[in-house]
Every structure is written in structure tokens, then in C-alpha cells.
């Protein structure tokens, strides 16, 4: 529209329901409503905010100033049938805003439908176009080539505030215009762009997955659920085959530096999708089912003898989308296990036994089990899904971006990957990042998508989920199974050469390797073999036949140079660091690290803000350097190692706290905060937890309004106790006896190098009574990012196995009194369970958890020479015969009754009384953990220097 004047006006002038600017522009349809973080903007100016109900209970209803009145019954109602409230719903980034429907036969209409408005939140649109979920407003501007401008959380009244608002309004408008230009490139021809037609919908483009979904809709492809037409039993079977990425760390190498070569699958998910023929399946007129049990068994036999049999693209196309019924008998299969430390589910690739129940797996996971275990699984039935025919009406050519037009007969995921390489070589890193995420969403994210909804059960609202519009579990499950097979085949080829894999994460592996190879002696005296660089090249080259294009290598390898070889150090799943150079103590040459649990989770300290090299926060890099230095010191001098001071705390009187910057997105979050905080939609606040070593503060959480910008004045904020709402003062010093001692960022970052808390699992035996089908992992991830507790409840159980029967069987076997003692349930409840009468779902869960914990520490029989477990908690012997035999022996030898035998506590490397003690600073002269004043001095009371 060209240059226009703008002005600051009062809220009443903007939102007057009859003559305000908002009515004349946004509600009339004459113009757009553009802003950054619109949900917060409307939440601040609203007369009233209330939670929505029904399926959208995680959204808000917002009444603008003057648009509502209070009903006699205390409810809000429209002042005019033509003035509806706003509906606001948080997205992964930003918010979605629209007008609620007006009263019947009232309001504005657009092509027969009630007008919902044109609201553009530039944060949501920025994320959709640069795929940078964790970026701030200023960082999004930098991504699109604009100078950084911070989005203020608050401004002062007066000239300074007006100047800051002027800069912000200009920055928002400038970013909106730039985003509009970038959006016009998608799905348009050169003529469309010249005439301003065919661009992305700026209102509904809120994520890269939404853009990827348009590849299917604009190509004319039917939704997968129509094409596949799965029955309910088939859907349930495919749901059982669905597993996430494979991530683990070799426990023998934890904390130990080793020369390494990293191999990373190039665009793994699009690669696997192309190999299994996903696009032909989606474009098919119908899907045929074919029995391939005998063929799959033969291929498993070949893979056991020679893993190269799995490196034929024809085998992947033949068995790529194939449902298999198996009876696991010790083969390595993916299985998810309940773990109190992993509310999002713990995926393990371990030997699985299921003698009482057949299980469903993708054929690619069955092949991975064969090549990893060295034996053929017991197959019951294998059914391949084969495309037949071609859907009529498919678009012949689809323009996606300038210089990228896809033929409908070609795989669009391959085209996106190839175009990404071109734009990355041209220096357009933002578009390259967007194409990477879009390609993954196209072949996996959208086919695996489940959306959270709410349903009413009587008076109670329950969290549930529904399939996404492009759900296709046969493709989504086969894609992740294909990534498992790639890693399993690589592992087998490496093992056949005498090497091992030290670390795996979804589509990459780290292999101990050096220029000429050799052996590495571990601290426990064992030895592992390092492959030579030529051997690594041969391993990687063996997969060349799976490449979809000549310039698309299956594996990318990185090992450094002879002058600067690559060194890796692994601390656990999702925690590793890579560096180059012969001197492993030189921390200036870190090339890659896992940032999980550091930057992005906690606010930047005031002394070290922003991103450093790459996408890693500056303080995250400093934290990893600190932990690597400490690990090296412990390796060289285990008795005298001292963790260095955190770089961001040097010169500060107090250590910087571990603060989380959060925003109220849903009514559920608002209910958890004190009313005195004045919470509204979009309220930004900071949260800190009590230090784990402080008795007076452990378990407490404090919150305060986020002032924005630098948090150097954190001690002066108006802190409130999150549970009581009482004002409190906070500190990170252990010398205080009145303030709440919150966890410091240095203490939190020390957990990065901590040994895994979960016990290693070597085998899984499946109990058919205890199999559950939990919901989406993303619900847990989002809840954790939003600061919500009780993460285990975020995964809805869709279909339970007969857990009640398992509890009733246990109660009948133990007797109701012993069952009550073991589970902590009232005897009346235990008696009902023993009589096979129903008990509540809550009590079933409590009983299963208690029984699971008891089974992990079950005592052996007290008779010498017998190690059978004792079936009852109040017994010492496994059977009456052994009890009588022990009684006769005692009578003969006149010995006292034995005490119950206990299994030794498994060695975890942690203090048995306090699992967190390993994370506390140690005395400079001994291994004593230090807290309070002793931590400030650096020595324990025994070694404290006393004045002479």
C-alpha cells in the first residue's frame, strides 16, 4: 500500500464496539490485524477472559472492551448479537485468533460462512517459513535478513515508551511484509507471483508441517485413510508397530574419550520413504494385500548369514510396507517400557520374549531383529501392502518453489531434498532448514500426527486425541522401522569387522575409529577394537546401492584429519560431544554437541546471552566445556577432581539461578499459578525450583512476572510461592536461612554429564495382561516445555490390556492381607480384588506400580542352595517343602531362624541414600559431597584449614 502514517490511540478508541478502529478494519473485513504474539495482546486489553469448553478446552474466549455485558447469572454475554468474542488458541509458536460465530442471522458473512477475520501472528508465520521453533522475535528477524529488534515484554508510559513502541510497531510491520514476500514463493508460478496469486494462506500457515501437507492437497492426492481403508483390527496392529527413533549409548564408554568416526544418514526419513515407495502407495487407486511370509523368512535367513542381503533396494520396496505377526523368542526388537524417569516412554532395542502373545512389527523391524540377533524370528504371518492402479484426477505438475516444479510421477520428498542441497550451496540456509523440516513432515510428521482434544465424561473433562487429517500409520511406522534397519545393518557390519558402535541417535552412529586402527584399553581393563579409516570407508560404501540419486550418499562420514582427528565423549542418550585435535583437553575445538537440557530449556545468564557458533546457545557451549573438563579431571585424578566454576558466574557475588521463561498458553497453565500474579492469556513469567540439596527449599517452586530482556536483577523480582501465592525472597547462596534457595544454573548444567538414572535393561518378557497403548509423545514434550507437571498423565491410554485381571490374579495368589501390605491399598480393596471383584482404575494403577517395584527387589529363598524367589512378602521360603526342610536342618544343628536374604543393590555409581549426591561438589581432599558453607569453602569439615 506504500508509506502510511501511524498513530498511538487509546484502547477505547481502538475497540469501541460501534465506531472503533478494530470494528472498521478487522471485523468489517476491510483490513488485516497483524501483530506479534497476538494472544497476549488481546489478553492484556480484554474486559474478560474465560476458558473454552468441550473439545477446545485448551483455548480461550476473550471479550474485548465494551463488547460484552454481565448476565444476571454471572455469565458474560454479547452486548450486541453482531459483536462476538474472540477465540484464541496457542500454537507451538504464537497463537491463532479468530472471531467466534455471531448470533444466528447476525454478524458478517463471507461466501455463506460467518466471517472469522484475518489475524496474522508473525511469530507463527515466521516459524512456518524458517522452521526455527526456539527463535525469539529478534532471531526470526535475523533469519529473514532483517536487523535484530527485541519484542518488549513491557514498556513505560511516556516518551521513552512511545519511542520503544514505535520501533516495535515498525519491526513487526517490516517482518510481516518480508514474510508475505517469502510466502508468495510457495506453490506459485512466475506468472502467479507477478500477479500476486496462489500464495500461501498467511492466516493458517502456522508450521512447516502445514506447508508440507499442501503438497498432497494441491497434487490432488486423496487422504491416506481413504486409500488404505484399514479395518479397526488393522489400525490397532499398525499402531502396535509404531516406535520412535533408536537412541542409546554404550555403557562401557560413558565419560571416556575415544577417537571416533561419526556416520549420519543423509535425509534419513525421506531416504527410507523413497526406498519403501511411499509416494506410489499414496497415489494408488487401491491397496492390495499379499502374503509374503515365506519370502520374508528366506530374506531373514540370508540376512543372518550375510547382512549385505539387506542392502538391495528391491528388498526394501518388496517389504517396505509390510505388517508382520511374530512370536519374539529372544530376538532384538524395539519395545517401549514404563520408566518413572522417562514419562515420554523409554524405547529399548533389547531381546524380547513373548511366549503367551504374538506381537505386531513392521517387516523392516523384523529384518533388523534378524541381523542384530543372528537368528530368524518365529513368523506367523507377513502381509505386504502393494499399490494397485493410479488415482484419477492427479495434477500432472506442481510448482513448489522457484526453480522447483515436481512431476506427479516423481517422489516429491526426493525433489525437496535435492532442492535443499542446491539452496544450501547457494547460501540460503533458512530455506534449507525449512525444506529439511518440510520433507520430514511430508513423509513422517503428518502421517504420524495425532491432535489433542478434550471430551466430556459426565461432569469431567478428559484429555484425548484424534488422528490428524493425513494420518497413515503404515507409512509412518515403516519409515521409523527403516531407520532402525539402517542402524542395525550398520551395527552388524561394524561388529563383523571387530568394532562396536559407541552411540546412536535416530539416524546417526558414532564408531570408535582411528587413522590406522588399533585397540583401546578401558578403565575396567577390557579392550575394544578401533576400526581404521579405510575400514570405515568400506563400511559406509557398502550401503551405496540404497542411494536414490548419484549425489545422495546414504551415510555421511566425519572423522577429522590426520592432523586434527575427531574425538568423541558420550555421557548418555542425547548427551555427547565431539571435538577435533590430538589434545583431548583442548576445549576450543568442539565441533558438535547435544544441547538437550541446557539452552532452550533455561534462560540465558545475564553474562552470556544469545547464540554462539552454529545454533548452540553461548552458555550451553560453556557448560559442556565445563563438564568435559571435569570428566577429564576425574579420569586422570579421580580422588582430586574439582568441577571448574561456571564461566557465567565468574566475578558475580551469587551464582545465576536456573530460570525457565514460560508463557501462559492454556487455562490449565493459568490454574497452576497464584491469582495474585494477575494471569491472563499470554502472561509471561519466570519459574525457579528450590535447590535439591536444601532441606528448607527442596520441593518449592517460585514464580515472578517476566520483565523481559536481561535477567541480571533476578533477586529483586516480586517472587511468589507457586503453591501458596505468598511473597518470598530468593537466593542461590547456601548461607541464607530465610530466603528460598533456588537451584543455580551451574548445578542444573552439571546434570548434563551425570550417568543415566535408569537401570540398564538386558531382556524384556512380555506379560499380555500389562500391555497398554499410550498416546502421543509430543503431548509430554509440549507439556514439559510449558512447565506443566504430572507429565505421565499427558499420554492418554487408548486401549488397556486386562490390567484388572493381572491385579486380581496377584491378589488371589498373595492373599488379600499380604497384597494390601505390598501395595499399600486398604484391606477392603484388597479383599475385593482377591475375590475377583472390580476395583477402581486408580487403585489398579497403584497396585501395578507397587507390584512392579516389589518384583524388582524380590527376595530369594532362605534355604541354602535355593535361589527361587519368595512368592509372598511375609514368607522366607519359596515353598512349604523348603520351609519344612530348613526347619529340620535347624533342629539338627540347633541354629537360629535365618534372616531373609536380600539381593544386593545394583551398582549405579550413585550414593545409595541420595541419588543426587554425585552431582554435588566434592571436597578437594576426599569424596565427601559438599553443601551449604562447605560448598562455598570447597573442603569438608575434616580437611578444613584451621588457624594456628
Amino acid at each position: 500500500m506504500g508509506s502510511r502514517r501511524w498513530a498511538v490511540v487509546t484502547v477505547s478508541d481502538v475497540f469501541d464496539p460501534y465506531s472503533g478502529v478494530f470494528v472498521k478494519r478487522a471485523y468489517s473485513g476491510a483490513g488485516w490485524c497483524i501483530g506479534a504474539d497476538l494472544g497476549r495482546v488481546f489478553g492484556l486489553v480484554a474486559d474478560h477472559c474465560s476458558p473454552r469448553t468441550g473439545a477446545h478446552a485448551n483455548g480461550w474466549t476473550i471479550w474485548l472492551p465494551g463488547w460484552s455485558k454481565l448476565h444476571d447469572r454471572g455469565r458474560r454475554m454479547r452486548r450486541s448479537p453482531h459483536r462476538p468474542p474472540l477465540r484464541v488458541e496457542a500454537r507451538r509458536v504464537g497463537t491463532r485468533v479468530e472471531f467466534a460465530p455471531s448470533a444466528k442471522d447476525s454478524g458478517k458473512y463471507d461466501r455463506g460462512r460467518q466471517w472469522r477475520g484475518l489475524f496474522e501472528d508473525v511469530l507463527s508465520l515466521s516459524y512456518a517459513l524458517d522452521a526455527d521453533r526456539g527463535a525469539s522475535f529478534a532471531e526470526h528477524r535475523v533469519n529473514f535478513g532483517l536487523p535484530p529488534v527485541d519484542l518488549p515484554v513491557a514498556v513505560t508510559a511516556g516518551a521513552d515508551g512511545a519511542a520503544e513502541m514505535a520501533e516495535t510497531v515498525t519491526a513487526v510491520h517490516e517482518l510481516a511484509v518480508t514474510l508475505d514476500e517469502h510466502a508468495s514463493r510457495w506453490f506459485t508460478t512466475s506468472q502467479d507471483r507477478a500477479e500476486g496469486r496462489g500464495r500461501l494462506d498467511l492466516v493458517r500457515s502456522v508450521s512447516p508441517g502445514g506447508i508440507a501437507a499442501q503438497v498432497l492437497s494441491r497434487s490432488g492426492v486423496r487422504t491416506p485413510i481413504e486409500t488404505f481403508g484399514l479395518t479397526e483390527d488393522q489400525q490397532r496392529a499398525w499402531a502396535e508397530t509404531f516406535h520412535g527413533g533408536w537412541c542409546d549409548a554404550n555403557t562401557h564408554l560413558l565419560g571416556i574419550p575415544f577417537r571416533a568416526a561419526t556416520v549420519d544418514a543423509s535425509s534419513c526419513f525421506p531416504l527410507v520413504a523413497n526406498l519403501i515407495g511411499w509416494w506410489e502407495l499414496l497415489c494408488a487407486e487401491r491397496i492390495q494385500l499379499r502374503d509374503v511370509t515365506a519370502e520374508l523368512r528366506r530374506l531373514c535367513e540370508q540376512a543372518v548369514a550375510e547382512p549385505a542381503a539387506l542392502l538391495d533396494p528391491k528388498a526394501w520396496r518388496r517389504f517396505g510396507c509390510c505388517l508382520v505377526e511374530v512370536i519374539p523368542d529372544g530376538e532384538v526388537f524395539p519395545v517401549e517400557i514404563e520408566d518413572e524417569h522417562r514419562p515420554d516412554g523409554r524405547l529399548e532395542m533389547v531381546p524380547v520374549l513373548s511366549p503367551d502373545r504374538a506381537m505386531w512389527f513392521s517387516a523392516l523391524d523384523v529384518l533388523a531383529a534378524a541381523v542384530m540377533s543372528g537368528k530368524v524370528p518365529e513368523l506367523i504371518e507377513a502381509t505386504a501392502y502393494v499399490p494397485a492402479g493410479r488415482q484419477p484426477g492427479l495434477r500432472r505438475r506442481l510448482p513448489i518453489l522457484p526453480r522447483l516444479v515436481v512431476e506427479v510421477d516423481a517422489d516429491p520428498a526426493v525433489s525437496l531434498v535435492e532442492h535443499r542441497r542446491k539452496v544450501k550451496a547457494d547460501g540460503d540456509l533458512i530455506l534449507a532448514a525449512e525444506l529439511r523440516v518440510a520433507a520430514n513432515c511430508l513423509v513422517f510428521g503428518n502421517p504420524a500426527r495425532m491432535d489433542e482434544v478434550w471430551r466430556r465424561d459426565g461432569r469431567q473433562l478428559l484429555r484425548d486425541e484424534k488422528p490428524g487429517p493425513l494420518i497413515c500409520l503404515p507409512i509412518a511406522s515403516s519409515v521409523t522401522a527403516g531407520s532402525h534397519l539402517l542402524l542395525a545393518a550398520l551395527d552388524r557390519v561394524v561388529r563383523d569387522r571387530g568394532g562396536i558402535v559407541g552411540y546412536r541417535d535416530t539416524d546417526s552412529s558414532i564408531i570408535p575409529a582411528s587413522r590406522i586402527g588399533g585397540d583401546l584399553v578401558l578403565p575396567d581393563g577390557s579392550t575394544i577394537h578401533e576400526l581404521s579409516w579405510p575400514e570405515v570407508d568400506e563400511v559406509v560404501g557398502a550401503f551405496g546401492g540404497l542411494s536414490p540419486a548419484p549425489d545422495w550418499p546414504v551415510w555421511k562420514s566425519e572423522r577429522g584429519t590426520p592432523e586434527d582427528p575427531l574425538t568423541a565423549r558420550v555421557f548418555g542418550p542425547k548427551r555427547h560431544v565431539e571435538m577435533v585435535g590430538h589434545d583431548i583437553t583442548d576445549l576450543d575445538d568442539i565441533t558438535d554437541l547435544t544441547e538437550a537440557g541446557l539452552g532452550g530449556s533455561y534462560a540465558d545468564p545475564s553474562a552470556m546471552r544469545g547464540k554462539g557458533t552454529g545454533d548452540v546457545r553461548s552458555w550451553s557451549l560453556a557448560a559442556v566445556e565445563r563438564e568435559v573438563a571435569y570428566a577429564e579431571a576425574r579420569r586422570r585424578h579421580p580422588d582430586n577432581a574439582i568441577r571448574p566454576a561456571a564461566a557465567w558466574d565468574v566475578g558475580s557475588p551469587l551464582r545465576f539461578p536456573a530460570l525457565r521463561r514460560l508463557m501462559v498458553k492454556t487455562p490449565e497453565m493459568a490454574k497452576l499459578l497464584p491469582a495474585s500474579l494477575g494471569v491472563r492469556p499470554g502472561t509471561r513469567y519466570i519459574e525457579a525450583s528450590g535447590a535439591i540439596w536444601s532441606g528448607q527449599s527442596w520441593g518449592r517452586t517460585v514464580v515472578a512476572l517476566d520483565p523481559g530482556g536481561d535477567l541480571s536483577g533476578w533477586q529483586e523480582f516480586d517472587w511468589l510461592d507457586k503453591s501458596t501465592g505468598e511473597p518470598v525472597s530468593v537466593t542461590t547462596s547456601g548461607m541464607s536461612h530465610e530466603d528460598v534457595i533456588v537451584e543455580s544454573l551451574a548445578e542444573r548444567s552439571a546434570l548434563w554429564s551425570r550417568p543415566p538414572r535408569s537401570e540398564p535393561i538386558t531382556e524384556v518378557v512380555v506379560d499380555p495382561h500389562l500391555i497398554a497403548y499410550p498416546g502421543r509423545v509430543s503431548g509430554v514434550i509440549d507439556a514439559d516445555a510449558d512447565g506443566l507437571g504430572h507429565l505421565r498423565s499427558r499420554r492418554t491410554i487408548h486401549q488397556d490390556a486386562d490390567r484388572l485381571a493381572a491385579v486380581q490374579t496377584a491378589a488371589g495368589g498373595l492373599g488379600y492381607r499380604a497384597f494390601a501390605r505390598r501395595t499399600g491399598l486398604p484391606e477392603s480393596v484388597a479383599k475385593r480384588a482377591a475375590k475377583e471383584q472390580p476395583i477402581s482404575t486408580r487403585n489398579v494403577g497403584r497396585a501395578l506400580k507397587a507390584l512392579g517395584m516389589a518384583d524388582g527387589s524380590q527376595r530369594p529363598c532362605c534355604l541354602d542352595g535355593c535361589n527361587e524367589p519368595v512368592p509372598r512378602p511375609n514368607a522366607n521360603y519359596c515353598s512349604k517343602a523348603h520351609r519344612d526342610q530348613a526347619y529340620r536342618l535347624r533342629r539338627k544343628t540347633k541354629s537360629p531362624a535365618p534372616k531373609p536374604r536380600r539381593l544386593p543393590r545394583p551398582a549405579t555409581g550413585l550414593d545409595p541414600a541420595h541419588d543426587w549426591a554425585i552431582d554435588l561438589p566434592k571436597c578437594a581432599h576426599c569424596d565427601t559431597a559438599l553443601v551449604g558453607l562447605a560448598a562455598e569453602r570447597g573442603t569438608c569439615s575434616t580437611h578444613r584449614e584451621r588457624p594456628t
Side-chain angles (χ1 to χ4, degrees):
M1 294 182 176
S3 178
R4 288 194 169 197
R5 292 181 177 273
W6 62 270
V8 175
V9 296
T10 63
V11 170
S12 58
D13 286 338
V14 174
F15 296 107
D16 184 282
Y18 303 104
S19 60
V21 176
F22 189 74
V23 168
K24 293 179 178 180
R25 301 291 299 172
Y27 184 56
S28 69
W32 288 72
C33 179
I34 300 173
D37 202 359
L38 281 177
R40 181 168 188 263
V41 173
F42 289 119
L44 286 173
V45 303
D47 268 352
H48 180 72
C49 305
S50 59
R52 293 185 65 186
T53 58
H56 301 279
N58 59 342
W60 301 86
T61 297
I62 292 182
W63 296 94
L64 296 174
W67 287 47
S68 67
K69 61 182 179 180
L70 196 60
H71 193 272
D72 295 339
R73 299 178 182 177
R75 295 173 55 188
R76 285 277 164 177
M77 59 181 296
R78 296 179 177 87
R79 184 174 296 277
S80 164
H82 296 276
R83 298 295 180 263
L86 293 177
R87 288 178 175 175
V88 174
E89 186 174 346
R91 298 299 194 188
R92 285 182 177 269
V93 176
T95 50
R96 178 180 177 179
V97 182
E98 63 180 13
F99 289 108
S102 297
K104 186 177 180 180
D105 298 327
S106 302
K108 302 291 181 180
Y109 283 82
D110 177 31
R111 285 170 288 188
R113 294 185 178 182
Q114 288 208 343
W115 173 246
R116 296 302 179 94
L118 291 174
F119 295 90
E120 180 189 333
D121 190 325
V122 296
L123 293 181
S124 294
L125 188 57
S126 296
Y127 167 58
L129 293 174
D130 67 8
D132 193 349
R133 181 181 178 185
S136 64
F137 175 75
E139 290 166 345
H140 279 305
R141 283 179 54 86
V142 172
N143 288 344
F144 291 102
L146 301 173
V149 176
D150 287 324
L151 189 68
V153 175
V155 294
T156 58
D160 292 341
E164 190 172 7
M165 281 303 301
E167 183 183 18
T168 303
V169 170
T170 304
V172 170
H173 179 257
E174 187 178 26
L175 179 58
V177 172
T178 303
L179 294 174
D180 181 55
E181 179 185 351
H182 281 261
S184 68
R185 303 175 186 175
W186 284 88
F187 305 112
T188 55
T189 64
S190 57
Q191 184 175 354
D192 291 334
R193 290 189 290 273
E195 299 176 358
R197 294 185 291 107
R199 61 186 62 206
L200 286 177
D201 186 339
L202 302 182
V203 175
R204 292 171 177 79
S205 298
V206 295
S207 71
I211 295 178
Q214 296 191 43
V215 174
L216 269 64
S217 62
R218 291 174 184 261
S219 298
V221 177
R222 292 194 307 240
T223 57
I225 199 168
E226 296 178 70
T227 303
F228 279 78
L230 302 180
T231 65
E232 186 174 344
D233 289 339
Q234 290 171 334
Q235 291 278 19
R236 187 179 297 110
W238 275 111
E240 187 174 320
T241 70
F242 182 75
H243 300 283
W246 181 7
C247 181
D248 67 1
N250 192 307
T251 55
H252 297 288
L253 294 173
L254 295 183
I256 301 171
F258 57 92
R259 299 297 183 202
T262 64
V263 288
D264 183 20
S266 302
S267 303
C268 180
F269 283 1
L271 168 67
V272 173
N274 177 261
L275 288 172
I276 68 175
W278 79 287
W279 187 242
E280 289 81 359
L281 287 165
L282 287 187
C283 295
E285 173 62 27
R286 64 189 184 281
I287 301 295
Q288 294 179 341
L289 305 184
R290 185 176 300 166
D291 189 315
V292 293
T293 310
E295 299 174 50
L296 181 60
R297 186 178 291 111
R298 284 196 298 270
L299 182 58
C300 287
E301 292 171 353
Q302 297 172 15
V304 168
E306 178 53 60
L310 301 176
L311 306 182
D312 182 2
K314 294 180 181 178
W316 286 70
R317 185 60 61 97
R318 178 69 169 162
F319 302 104
C321 189
C322 180
L323 181 65
V324 187
E325 190 176 9
V326 191
I327 298 181
D329 187 24
E331 299 85 13
V332 176
F333 280 105
V335 59
E336 294 191 34
I337 303 158
E338 286 293 323
D339 187 339
E340 61 179 357
H341 304 300
R342 293 286 305 274
D344 58 337
R346 177 180 176 184
L347 178 69
E348 293 286 343
M349 295 283 283
V350 292
V352 178
L353 295 97
S354 182
D356 300 322
R357 180 191 185 275
M359 301 182 70
W360 297 97
F361 291 99
S362 166
L364 301 182
D365 270 331
V366 174
L367 292 169
V371 75
M372 287 283 289
S373 309
K375 65 176 184 177
V376 179
E378 183 180 347
L379 308 182
I380 298 177
E381 184 181 15
T383 305
Y385 286 58
V386 182
R390 193 78 167 171
Q391 294 177 20
L394 294 178
R395 185 171 179 172
R396 189 170 62 86
R397 303 176 77 238
L398 175 67
I400 297 181
L401 285 167
R403 299 183 299 163
L404 176 59
V405 179
V406 177
E407 301 286 341
V408 75
D409 293 332
D411 184 344
V414 173
S415 300
L416 289 177
V417 171
E418 292 177 340
H419 191 68
R420 174 177 177 264
R421 289 199 182 93
K422 296 176 182 177
V423 298
K424 189 174 182 179
D426 294 340
D428 193 347
L429 301 182
I430 298 304
L431 182 56
E434 164 73 4
L435 289 171
R436 178 183 65 83
V437 178
N440 286 332
C441 291
L442 187 63
V443 301
F444 173 73
N446 289 329
R449 173 179 161 185
M450 300 293 288
D451 296 329
E452 183 179 87
V453 295
W454 293 77
R455 60 182 176 84
R456 185 170 293 281
D457 184 8
R459 295 183 177 181
Q460 188 179 11
L461 272 177
L462 300 178
R463 185 182 296 106
D464 205 340
E465 62 185 21
K466 65 177 182 180
L470 298 177
I471 189 75
C472 186
L473 289 180
I475 289 178
S477 177
S478 300
V479 166
T480 52
S483 70
H484 302 161
L485 180 55
L486 283 176
L487 295 177
L490 179 72
D491 182 275
R492 171 66 183 276
V493 175
V494 169
R495 282 192 287 119
D496 287 349
R497 292 178 176 271
I500 66 168
V501 172
Y503 179 83
R504 266 179 290 258
D505 189 357
T506 308
D507 61 353
S508 62
S509 293
I510 300 180
I511 304 170
S514 58
R515 187 171 62 86
I516 60 175
D519 292 329
L520 173 65
V521 180
L522 302 179
D524 60 3
S526 60
T527 303
I528 63 171
H529 178 65
E530 296 177 337
L531 298 185
S532 66
W533 287 358
E535 287 178 307
V536 173
D537 292 337
E538 292 174 6
V539 169
V540 170
F543 290 78
L546 299 178
S547 176
D551 60 343
W552 187 341
V554 176
W555 295 106
K556 297 179 295 185
S557 178
E558 177 61 43
R559 63 206 178 192
T561 64
E563 295 76 20
D564 294 314
L566 185 70
T567 299
R569 198 187 294 256
V570 175
F571 295 97
K574 297 291 184 182
R575 289 178 289 131
H576 87 285
V577 62
E578 301 167 22
M579 57 189 73
V580 295
H582 284 284
D583 184 5
I584 58 177
T585 62
D586 186 1
L587 303 177
D588 293 333
D589 295 320
I590 291 180
T591 58
D592 191 21
L593 61 90
T594 309
E595 199 179 9
L598 298 174
S601 298
Y602 296 92
D604 294 353
S606 52
M608 199 171 288
R609 299 178 63 195
K611 292 184 178 180
T613 304
D615 291 331
V616 178
R617 312 299 297 184
S618 298
W619 76 268
S620 295
L621 179 60
V624 171
E625 291 175 346
R626 173 174 175 250
E627 294 308 305
V628 171
Y630 179 56
E632 183 61 23
R634 290 187 64 186
R635 188 177 72 90
R636 297 180 180 232
H637 308 287
D639 297 331
N640 300 318
I642 299 176
R643 181 177 272 112
W648 54 85
D649 287 335
V650 175
S652 301
L654 287 176
R655 290 174 293 178
F656 192 82
L659 304 176
R660 299 190 68 185
R661 299 188 105 143
L662 302 170
M663 182 179 70
V664 176
K665 295 181 178 180
T666 63
E668 182 182 9
M669 295 180 65
K671 291 178 182 178
L672 299 177
L673 295 172
S676 55
L677 204 63
V679 173
R680 289 202 167 203
T683 296
R684 296 183 180 271
Y685 66 99
I686 51 179
E687 181 179 279
S689 300
I692 195 170
W693 49 265
S694 171
Q696 68 177 23
S697 302
W698 169 237
R700 299 183 69 178
T701 303
V702 295
V703 294
L705 291 175
D706 187 350
D710 186 4
L711 297 179
S712 57
W714 57 272
Q715 259 194 307
E716 307 303 323
F717 299 162
D718 296 327
W719 292 98
L720 302 174
D721 189 294
K722 187 175 181 180
S723 58
T724 65
E726 298 178 356
V728 294
S729 55
V730 302
T731 185
T732 54
S733 173
M735 302 177 66
S736 174
H737 299 287
E738 298 179 357
D739 300 338
V740 175
I741 304 173
V742 297
E743 188 177 26
S744 71
L745 193 60
E747 293 165 348
R748 173 53 55 176
S749 63
L751 299 180
W752 189 86
S753 62
R754 173 182 179 167
R757 299 177 65 186
S758 302
E759 295 291 339
I761 294 174
T762 57
E763 184 181 76
V764 170
V765 180
V766 177
D767 185 338
H769 291 296
L770 300 180
I771 294 179
Y773 298 90
R776 60 192 189 127
V777 175
S778 58
V780 179
I781 297 173
D782 291 340
D784 184 48
D786 293 340
L788 294 172
H790 309 293
L791 298 179
R792 298 180 68 84
S793 65
R794 309 300 298 195
R795 300 191 72 184
T796 307
I797 303 296
H798 291 282
Q799 178 191 349
D800 239 347
D802 201 350
R803 295 154 64 91
L804 175 60
V807 172
Q808 291 170 339
T809 302
L814 291 171
Y816 77 90
R817 287 193 177 92
F819 179 78
R821 285 194 296 272
R822 177 175 288 189
T823 60
L825 295 177
E827 285 195 1
S828 59
V829 176
K831 188 177 294 186
R832 288 200 304 272
K835 292 180 179 179
E836 297 187 355
Q837 295 176 354
I839 61 176
S840 70
T841 304
R842 180 170 176 268
N843 285 332
V844 168
R846 288 176 59 189
L848 287 175
K849 183 176 181 181
L851 291 169
M853 294 172 63
D855 289 343
S857 58
Q858 207 166 22
R859 296 178 285 107
C861 179
C862 286
L863 181 65
D864 289 341
C866 178
N867 289 316
E868 290 295 318
V870 177
R872 294 176 179 269
N874 56 344
N876 293 332
Y877 300 96
C878 65
S879 64
K880 183 178 182 298
H882 280 199
R883 184 188 66 185
D884 295 342
Q885 183 179 347
Y887 174 74
R888 291 192 294 269
L889 289 173
R890 289 201 308 274
R891 287 284 301 270
K892 192 177 295 185
T893 60
K894 296 183 179 181
S895 59
K899 294 182 178 180
R901 293 165 59 194
R902 300 282 183 182
L903 290 175
R905 179 183 175 91
T908 62
L910 304 179
D911 186 303
H914 304 287
D915 281 354
W916 45 266
I918 193 172
D919 296 316
L920 297 178
K922 301 291 184 65
C923 173
H925 306 286
C926 65
D927 287 335
T928 303
L930 305 179
V931 297
L933 293 174
E936 300 287 342
R937 290 192 300 264
T939 57
C940 64
S941 58
T942 304
H943 295 98
R944 183 174 61 189
E945 295 183 3
R946 302 180 181 277
T948 57

